[in-house]
Amino acid sequence: MTRAPRSRRQRRGPLTRIRAANISILLAAVAITLTASLLTWHLNEGLPRERHTHEQLGLTRVDADQLHALESRLIAPGKVEARDTLASELILDDMATHARELADLGRAGDTVLAVRGLIAAFRQLAPALAEQNQTRASQVYRTRYLPARIRLEHIVTASNRAAAQRLEIAERNVKIGMILSIFGVVLLIVGLALRVNRVRAREIHIVRKADSELSERNELLLDSQRRVRSAERLYRQLVERLPGVTYISSPTSVGPTFISPQALELLGVPAEEFIAHPDKAMQVIHPDDRASVEANMETLRREGGEYQQEFRVVHPDGRIVWIGDDATVVAGEDDKPLHVQGYLRDITPLKDAEAKQQAALEGEQTANEKLRELGAMKDDFVALVSHELRTPLTSIRGYLELVLEGKPDGLSKENGAFLGIVDRNAARLERLVDDLLFMARLGSGKLELSLQDTDLAALARESVGAATPRASAQAVELECAIEEVPAVHGDPGRLGQLLDNLISNAVKFTPDGGHVDVRVFPQNGDVAIEVADTGIGISAKEQTQLFQKFFRTSAAGERAIQGTGLGLSISKAIVEAHAGRIELESEENIGTTIRVLLPIAGNGEHA
């Protein structure tokens, strides 16, 4: 797997270098061609000027030679002929013309000045010759004309030589530029030929590669077709082994284009009949469910995605079979639906179980209603019996109180003791009736509270005072630590009942020599009541049931401690009616602490 990339990199290096060399050749050829062309153009632009300058200098030299040849006749004493004068004027005119040409070309400035000096000298010499004034003519000849002619000859000779050299150099440079241009063109042609060959080679390589890839794709396509056919065979084998029915339908029609053979067992119709008669798919559905199935399938085809539905099918043998249908729309690459694919399964057992469960639930609801009615009847009965018992008990206790306070002479000491026992049991029975009546009212929702600002500290002192005789009788030390606390909004009677229950329970379950602490103090916006004892305690297992009605701990039963199991249940109901909360901490043979938190008056309900 790693050799192929490395070999491609190894091949890429020479190809890159060849491509760079081809580009370099093209760039060099273009540069040489442009440089040589510009140089040749520049040289060709200046070559005619050099040639013209050389020609004018040559003509000027010829004119100077002619003037020199005519010089002996012009200056011979007494012999100045008109034709010689005319010839000299013509020669001077030619020299002036050549000088102007040289001046226009910007070449041989010294030559132009020398020509003009010679012409000026001759113009001074000609009048003296014409007048045959030999002295003046000889003086002009020696001082002006002869130096001007000699200077012109020297300058023309030097300028002509320089012009000949420049012309030779220019012609040579033009030849070199032509050669360089031809060389650049050759290089450009070679570079273009290499580039064309490279492009052709790359095109050939691309064509060969495309042919190779096409062959590979054809092989892959054939392999894919073989795999698809194999997958179809495996899919059909798998589908035919499934417990349900698999189907495929068109995205525009209801009837299936494929349905697995299990259709005969599940729906009672062979798969071939469904495919041959597409309407059969809706005919087997229960008449009451056809409209909903058609609507669901229409929504599925319109919106796509997945859908689940349940419907009934009428089996040819008359059975009603519940079918669960899981359908989904399969989309193509362009997100257009290709077909609908679904799976049908028998959910009749599930529906039967749901029906049985619903029937059981309805039966349970009926039983619960009956239980609630019985509970209400029980509460009403308890309330009625408690109310009916309360009247005679009040009468009995009243007459007993009269008898015990009167001390009639006919009452013996023993009978007085018996009546005391009767009074205590009557009081105990009266408390039991009160508790039963309280629970009955609470259960029926008829518990009423007389709310007012209540001093819990005062109520706690009263309850501790009332429980002190009993605590002393059991050798239990009862202490009270009460701080100054705000008033609470509550029912003084019920809150007093709460304190009596908690303190009496603590004293009752504390063995002789034990200790009970009652504390009232403020805590985080509440008034807290704590009753802590060093009694028998409560096991962790039983603490969760402690506030249930009529629940008594196993330790209380083993020690035969009297009680109905209603005290803490009533206490919790009173606390919750005042929007407070009650907490308990206990450990066996160590003791129990019950903490009550009640909201201060004006703070609203307890959080």
Side-chain angles (χ1 to χ4, degrees), residues 403-439:
V403 172
L404 292 174
E405 288 180 356
K407 300 290 184 180
D409 297 336
L411 186 62
S412 64
K413 183 178 181 180
E414 184 178 3
N415 290 335
F418 290 156
L419 289 176
I421 293 172
V422 172
D423 183 59
R424 287 194 297 275
N425 284 283
R428 177 183 173 192
L429 183 60
E430 187 178 19
R431 288 193 299 273
L432 176 59
V433 170
D434 288 340
D435 290 345
L436 290 173
L437 186 60
F438 178 88
M439 296 305 297

Side-chain angles (χ1 to χ4, degrees), residues 139-153:
Q139 183 182 359
V140 173
Y141 176 79
R142 289 193 308 270
T143 59
R144 297 291 303 278
Y145 177 78
L146 183 60
R149 181 176 61 76
I150 294 171
R151 181 171 178 269
L152 176 62
E153 289 177 356

Side-chain angles (χ1 to χ4, degrees), residues 210-223:
D211 291 340
S212 176
E213 291 179 352
L214 183 60
S215 300
E216 291 179 357
R217 290 181 181 180
N218 289 335
E219 293 179 0
L220 290 174
L221 181 60
L222 294 175
D223 185 59

